[in-house]
Amino acid sequence: MSLLNNILSSVYRVCVPGVLGQRNIGTATTPLYFKLTQVVGGEPLKKKKRLDPQIIRQREERKKRKIEKQIRRLEKNAGQLKPVDELEVPRAIIKEIDIRKKPVVTISGEEMDKRAALNKAWSAYKYQQHRAEVTMIDQAATARERALEELREESEELWLEAVQIDPTLIPFKAKGPVLTPPIPEYKSPDGEYINVTRIWE
Amino acid sequence: MAAAIISSRNLASFSRFLTSGTKINTCRSINTTHNNLCRWQIVGAACVTRPPVVCPPMTPIEQQYSGMLTTMEKELALKSDHEMRVEKDKIYKKLLLSGDVEDAADLDRTSAQTAAEFEDACTLELNDFNATLQPVHDRNETPDVRKRLHRCLERSLVLVVKHKQIDVQEWTLPHTPWTPGETLRQTCERVVGDVCGESLKVKFLGNAPCGFYKYKYPKTIRKDGYIGAKVFFYKCVVLNNKQQEVEFGTDVDDHQWLTHDELKHTLKQSYAKSISQFLISDR
């Protein structure tokens, strides 16, 4: 209502005291020199509280300590490795360990000698095998060097091409011999499966 | 003083550079004049090998040693579930014989099948499986078998062919003269493509030749001024491990897949020797 009054008074610049039945100060003069200001629509702004710098420091320190604690907890857990089920002895077996024990086998001296001799023979065998492999590789390397030399003698350009690195061989993958030969025309079963791998965080 | 030393060192290296440069130059000039008189033909040859498919059987000492390890492990091990079952079966049998049927019933038996029966069933299944496997080694090998890529699965094989255009029919690795404009490796890739066609996929092992062989042509057939051939071998491995056989091109008369031992007997002695230098033995 006061708004309307205001508008009216500003447009017509006439004072109509008492006509609208409002609180009004009138001087009954035109132009009107008195004017009501609108009520300021809000309470006065709060004065900003100035905090004690000590308290601020305390708060920051608390925050820091909290983070440090979290880090410490994480570091403590970092030492714990994910459990590997396959490497752990099942509980059932730990329970039955007494009835599962076998009678201790006593090995005769003769058998011990036999085993020691076999161990010796085995290491000699592996040594020979290793030597044969190393010589074979050496031989192949020498043969390649010789071939490259001969090639260089014939044509420098071909030699240059030959000494380039073959990027398709890096990395080199080879599937080794398997225990049983592949079954001809074997169709591997292709079906749905459920992944049972547990997720460790 | 230091500057003087450096400069003298520089001079030395520079002079060395000069002399080496002149050396190369003289080499070149000699080579070119040499070439006009007696040239060597550059030939690329592909050593197509098929790596072993299955592991070779154990040697006697390997068998002995693995046997020893197994017994040692058995001595130290705890009883397995199966061994426990065998024992339980024995107790059950004893109780049945003595007539303690009630006690026997107390023993919880999960299935009617005894451990012995289970063992028998497993052995049967294993035998059935072994019967389905193809024999690794043919006992009665005919010369025709040597043409098959899938023989001697535990050994590595090398392809040898008889080329048509050559008068002297000898077993050699597939080879062809180098033509200008290609690298030697490309020459070998070309010869593999010509000989074996699309059916054989191979992978060449590197850009460098792995071996070398030199021979002189007989005087009667010397052509284009070549006195002989320098053969550069490139090794490649067969990739398709499927059971399909290779279809050979028309420019070869005959082919064989040979083990390293057979190579020695089939090829010319000097040729076999230079090949054996770079073959990786499978024994």
PDB file of all heavy atoms in Angstrom, chain A residues 24-38:
ATOM      1  N   ASN A  24       0.808   8.631   7.228  1.00  0.00           N
ATOM      2  CA  ASN A  24       1.453   9.527   6.296  1.00  0.00           C
ATOM      3  C   ASN A  24       1.756  10.856   6.971  1.00  0.00           C
ATOM      4  O   ASN A  24       1.025  11.304   7.854  1.00  0.00           O
ATOM      5  CB  ASN A  24       0.546   9.787   5.111  1.00  0.00           C
ATOM      6  CG  ASN A  24       1.136   9.234   3.840  1.00  0.00           C
ATOM      7  OD1 ASN A  24       2.353   9.212   3.692  1.00  0.00           O
ATOM      8  ND2 ASN A  24       0.271   8.808   2.939  1.00  0.00           N
ATOM      9  N   ILE A  25       2.803  11.411   6.527  1.00  0.00           N
ATOM     10  CA  ILE A  25       3.071  12.762   7.029  1.00  0.00           C
ATOM     11  C   ILE A  25       2.764  13.709   5.884  1.00  0.00           C
ATOM     12  O   ILE A  25       3.331  13.578   4.799  1.00  0.00           O
ATOM     13  CB  ILE A  25       4.527  12.904   7.457  1.00  0.00           C
ATOM     14  CG1 ILE A  25       4.812  11.978   8.625  1.00  0.00           C
ATOM     15  CG2 ILE A  25       4.822  14.354   7.853  1.00  0.00           C
ATOM     16  CD1 ILE A  25       6.255  11.831   8.952  1.00  0.00           C
ATOM     17  N   GLY A  26       1.897  14.519   6.137  1.00  0.00           N
ATOM     18  CA  GLY A  26       1.556  15.415   5.047  1.00  0.00           C
ATOM     19  C   GLY A  26       1.747  16.854   5.450  1.00  0.00           C
ATOM     20  O   GLY A  26       1.624  17.235   6.609  1.00  0.00           O
ATOM     21  N   THR A  27       2.060  17.623   4.497  1.00  0.00           N
ATOM     22  CA  THR A  27       2.169  19.064   4.762  1.00  0.00           C
ATOM     23  C   THR A  27       1.156  19.831   3.941  1.00  0.00           C
ATOM     24  O   THR A  27       1.062  21.054   4.040  1.00  0.00           O
ATOM     25  CB  THR A  27       3.573  19.554   4.442  1.00  0.00           C
ATOM     26  OG1 THR A  27       3.916  19.110   3.154  1.00  0.00           O
ATOM     27  CG2 THR A  27       4.563  19.069   5.471  1.00  0.00           C
ATOM     28  N   ALA A  28       0.468  18.981   3.141  1.00  0.00           N
ATOM     29  CA  ALA A  28      -0.592  19.539   2.313  1.00  0.00           C
ATOM     30  C   ALA A  28      -0.087  20.615   1.377  1.00  0.00           C
ATOM     31  O   ALA A  28      -0.796  21.568   1.070  1.00  0.00           O
ATOM     32  CB  ALA A  28      -1.747  20.057   3.176  1.00  0.00           C
ATOM     33  N   THR A  29       1.076  20.492   1.015  1.00  0.00           N
ATOM     34  CA  THR A  29       1.606  21.452   0.056  1.00  0.00           C
ATOM     35  C   THR A  29       2.101  20.708  -1.157  1.00  0.00           C
ATOM     36  O   THR A  29       2.489  19.551  -1.062  1.00  0.00           O
ATOM     37  CB  THR A  29       2.786  22.231   0.647  1.00  0.00           C
ATOM     38  OG1 THR A  29       3.731  21.317   1.129  1.00  0.00           O
ATOM     39  CG2 THR A  29       2.345  23.226   1.680  1.00  0.00           C
ATOM     40  N   THR A  30       1.976  21.327  -2.247  1.00  0.00           N
ATOM     41  CA  THR A  30       2.604  20.810  -3.456  1.00  0.00           C
ATOM     42  C   THR A  30       3.656  21.783  -3.878  1.00  0.00           C
ATOM     43  O   THR A  30       3.400  22.997  -3.852  1.00  0.00           O
ATOM     44  CB  THR A  30       1.583  20.615  -4.575  1.00  0.00           C
ATOM     45  OG1 THR A  30       0.745  21.765  -4.574  1.00  0.00           O
ATOM     46  CG2 THR A  30       0.810  19.339  -4.453  1.00  0.00           C
ATOM     47  N   PRO A  31       4.728  21.359  -4.386  1.00  0.00           N
ATOM     48  CA  PRO A  31       5.240  19.965  -4.309  1.00  0.00           C
ATOM     49  C   PRO A  31       5.551  19.566  -2.864  1.00  0.00           C
ATOM     50  O   PRO A  31       5.777  20.419  -2.029  1.00  0.00           O
ATOM     51  CB  PRO A  31       6.504  20.028  -5.152  1.00  0.00           C
ATOM     52  CG  PRO A  31       6.952  21.448  -5.046  1.00  0.00           C
ATOM     53  CD  PRO A  31       5.732  22.299  -4.887  1.00  0.00           C
ATOM     54  N   LEU A  32       5.539  18.271  -2.780  1.00  0.00           N
ATOM     55  CA  LEU A  32       5.751  17.673  -1.466  1.00  0.00           C
ATOM     56  C   LEU A  32       7.242  17.599  -1.166  1.00  0.00           C
ATOM     57  O   LEU A  32       8.006  17.059  -1.935  1.00  0.00           O
ATOM     58  CB  LEU A  32       5.153  16.263  -1.474  1.00  0.00           C
ATOM     59  CG  LEU A  32       5.200  15.512  -0.190  1.00  0.00           C
ATOM     60  CD1 LEU A  32       4.359  16.196   0.894  1.00  0.00           C
ATOM     61  CD2 LEU A  32       4.701  14.110  -0.407  1.00  0.00           C
ATOM     62  N   TYR A  33       7.607  18.164  -0.100  1.00  0.00           N
ATOM     63  CA  TYR A  33       9.041  18.151   0.221  1.00  0.00           C
ATOM     64  C   TYR A  33       9.418  16.999   1.130  1.00  0.00           C
ATOM     65  O   TYR A  33      10.567  16.666   1.257  1.00  0.00           O
ATOM     66  CB  TYR A  33       9.450  19.476   0.815  1.00  0.00           C
ATOM     67  CG  TYR A  33       9.246  20.587  -0.155  1.00  0.00           C
ATOM     68  CD1 TYR A  33       8.253  21.537   0.037  1.00  0.00           C
ATOM     69  CD2 TYR A  33      10.046  20.646  -1.307  1.00  0.00           C
ATOM     70  CE1 TYR A  33       8.037  22.550  -0.882  1.00  0.00           C
ATOM     71  CE2 TYR A  33       9.825  21.644  -2.225  1.00  0.00           C
ATOM     72  CZ  TYR A  33       8.841  22.601  -2.018  1.00  0.00           C
ATOM     73  OH  TYR A  33       8.632  23.580  -2.928  1.00  0.00           O
ATOM     74  N   PHE A  34       8.401  16.522   1.785  1.00  0.00           N
ATOM     75  CA  PHE A  34       8.712  15.378   2.650  1.00  0.00           C
ATOM     76  C   PHE A  34       8.454  14.088   1.898  1.00  0.00           C
ATOM     77  O   PHE A  34       7.521  14.005   1.135  1.00  0.00           O
ATOM     78  CB  PHE A  34       7.842  15.401   3.917  1.00  0.00           C
ATOM     79  CG  PHE A  34       8.206  16.492   4.849  1.00  0.00           C
ATOM     80  CD1 PHE A  34       7.518  17.700   4.850  1.00  0.00           C
ATOM     81  CD2 PHE A  34       9.246  16.302   5.741  1.00  0.00           C
ATOM     82  CE1 PHE A  34       7.858  18.710   5.705  1.00  0.00           C
ATOM     83  CE2 PHE A  34       9.574  17.339   6.624  1.00  0.00           C
ATOM     84  CZ  PHE A  34       8.895  18.534   6.606  1.00  0.00           C
ATOM     85  N   LYS A  35       9.263  13.162   2.140  1.00  0.00           N
ATOM     86  CA  LYS A  35       9.103  11.886   1.424  1.00  0.00           C
ATOM     87  C   LYS A  35       9.500  10.760   2.351  1.00  0.00           C
ATOM     88  O   LYS A  35      10.485  10.861   3.096  1.00  0.00           O
ATOM     89  CB  LYS A  35      10.002  11.850   0.196  1.00  0.00           C
ATOM     90  CG  LYS A  35       9.421  11.083  -0.925  1.00  0.00           C
ATOM     91  CD  LYS A  35      10.356  11.269  -2.117  1.00  0.00           C
ATOM     92  CE  LYS A  35      10.007  10.303  -3.184  1.00  0.00           C
ATOM     93  NZ  LYS A  35      11.003  10.396  -4.246  1.00  0.00           N
ATOM     94  N   LEU A  36       8.689   9.739   2.289  1.00  0.00           N
ATOM     95  CA  LEU A  36       9.016   8.596   3.151  1.00  0.00           C
ATOM     96  C   LEU A  36       9.990   7.692   2.415  1.00  0.00           C
ATOM     97  O   LEU A  36       9.768   7.336   1.256  1.00  0.00           O
ATOM     98  CB  LEU A  36       7.757   7.816   3.514  1.00  0.00           C
ATOM     99  CG  LEU A  36       6.978   8.339   4.703  1.00  0.00           C
ATOM    100  CD1 LEU A  36       5.822   7.418   4.956  1.00  0.00           C
ATOM    101  CD2 LEU A  36       7.838   8.407   5.943  1.00  0.00           C
ATOM    102  N   THR A  37      11.043   7.327   3.050  1.00  0.00           N
ATOM    103  CA  THR A  37      11.948   6.352   2.419  1.00  0.00           C
ATOM    104  C   THR A  37      11.402   4.953   2.671  1.00  0.00           C
ATOM    105  O   THR A  37      10.734   4.706   3.664  1.00  0.00           O
ATOM    106  CB  THR A  37      13.346   6.438   3.005  1.00  0.00           C
ATOM    107  OG1 THR A  37      13.245   6.304   4.387  1.00  0.00           O
ATOM    108  CG2 THR A  37      14.011   7.730   2.623  1.00  0.00           C
ATOM    109  N   GLN A  38      11.666   4.141   1.776  1.00  0.00           N
ATOM    110  CA  GLN A  38      11.245   2.741   1.963  1.00  0.00           C
ATOM    111  C   GLN A  38      12.054   2.116   3.077  1.00  0.00           C
ATOM    112  O   GLN A  38      13.203   2.485   3.295  1.00  0.00           O
ATOM    113  CB  GLN A  38      11.455   1.984   0.675  1.00  0.00           C
ATOM    114  CG  GLN A  38      10.338   2.228  -0.296  1.00  0.00           C
ATOM    115  CD  GLN A  38      10.396   1.302  -1.439  1.00  0.00           C
ATOM    116  OE1 GLN A  38      11.318   0.562  -1.578  1.00  0.00           O
ATOM    117  NE2 GLN A  38       9.366   1.359  -2.262  1.00  0.00           N
TER     118      GLN A  38
END
